[in-house]
Amino acid sequence: MSSPDRLVYMANQIGTFFKSQGHDKAVPGIADHIKKFWDPRMKRAIFAHLDAGGAGLEPNVLEALTSLKPATFLPEAH
């Protein structure tokens, strides 16, 4: 599993990619990318980091994760 720092870095890289599209397209684009391409362990870890304050996350990424979290079903790891 990736460390929180690595996941923050990866999420911010996604945010950088979408930044040129403007806020209204960037936030849903970031959320969609994470929803589609991150595995459940990565999502659980980044949402735990978000719950702990989300240190280091860029504003658009923070907003995307916040909007995505309630809509994402994350089964518990066994």
Side-chain angles (χ1 to χ4, degrees):
M1 184 181 323
S2 299
S3 72
D5 289 342
R6 181 72 180 151
L7 293 175
V8 167
Y9 173 79
M10 291 169 61
N12 285 338
Q13 288 293 100
I14 296 164
T16 297
F17 174 81
F18 284 101
K19 191 174 187 174
S20 66
Q21 297 181 14
H23 177 268
D24 291 345
K25 290 185 180 179
V27 170
I30 296 163
D32 187 55
H33 180 90
I34 290 171
K35 183 178 179 182
K36 286 181 179 177
F37 298 109
W38 283 30
D39 73 41
R41 291 172 301 161
M42 292 169 69
K43 289 183 224 175
R44 274 193 295 273
I46 199 69
F47 291 142
H49 180 73
L50 181 66
D51 288 344
L57 292 168
E58 296 294 329
N60 283 349
V61 175
L62 188 62
E63 188 174 340
L65 289 170
T66 301
S67 72
L68 182 61
K69 187 177 178 191
T72 304
F73 173 69
L74 297 171
E76 291 299 315
H78 297 283

